[in-house]
Amino acid sequence: MGLEELLSLDTVQTDPARHRLVDVLSGLSVDAPESAIHKRYKVIKLVKIVVPDSEDFFNFCGGDTENPCRVSWWAEPRLERLNDGPPEGAKTEWTRIVRALALLESFDTPKAREIIRSFATGHPDAQPTKIARAILSVQSKKQ
């Protein structure tokens, strides 16, 4: 689904789901200092920036009920682009997950395979999902 539709779902209208989704779509790591910036805002909305003869851009806007757009920051509308991260660099959290998946693959225990299978059910464009599916594909060929 598109970014606008995703952010309109009832399940992402309140904390912690809303802020977590904003973290992911901003390319921020959960424990990065800058990811705490938006958590102090009561209102977070999506702003679409239309550029003629180009694809649309999105920003998140944060504020309160009186000033709902006190600050804004980048929002990535295409999840597969988060594999490379925002302009500042790769998405650190996804890098950690991919490394963990590689370790789980080397453990090759029932619990490790179960965790890998759970990651394989994620969004098809997310890097951890793609890696988990690749690991499962290789494992199925070995059996």
Side-chain angles (χ1 to χ4, degrees):
M1 75 179 56
L3 183 57
E4 293 170 295
E5 183 182 357
L6 176 64
L7 286 166
S8 70
L9 294 175
D10 289 341
T11 54
V12 294
Q13 293 305 310
T14 58
D15 280 341
R18 181 85 169 179
H19 285 122
R20 182 68 192 110
L21 186 60
V22 170
D23 277 343
V24 170
L25 296 173
S26 298
L28 299 173
S29 174
V30 176
D31 51 356
E34 64 271 18
S35 71
I37 291 170
H38 71 270
K39 292 182 178 146
R40 66 175 171 249
Y41 299 110
K42 292 182 179 179
V43 176
I44 296 176
K45 65 179 188 169
L46 185 66
V47 177
K48 185 177 189 176
I49 302 161
V50 178
V51 180
D53 300 323
S54 181
E55 73 178 298
D56 297 333
F57 295 92
F58 292 88
N59 277 345
F60 288 112
C61 231
D64 52 37
T65 49
E66 290 97 40
N67 185 359
C69 201
R70 182 171 291 170
V71 67
S72 69
W73 59 95
W74 171 79
E76 179 53 70
R78 292 184 42 208
L79 194 61
E80 68 272 9
R81 281 195 239 167
L82 288 175
N83 295 338
D84 298 324
E88 301 84 46
K91 180 144 178 55
T92 340
E93 185 177 355
W94 283 9
T95 302
R96 279 188 238 142
I97 292 169
V98 168
R99 289 176 183 161
L101 288 168
L103 282 173
L104 289 167
E105 178 185 22
S106 71
F107 297 158
D108 198 29
T109 64
K111 183 66 177 171
R113 287 189 294 276
E114 179 184 329
I115 294 169
I116 294 168
R117 276 192 297 276
S118 73
F119 273 97
T121 64
H123 190 286
D125 292 331
Q127 186 182 30
T129 305
K130 289 179 177 182
I131 298 298
R133 289 178 180 178
I135 291 169
L136 293 175
S137 174
V138 168
Q139 286 178 342
S140 71
K141 291 176 185 175
K142 286 181 182 177
Q143 295 173 353

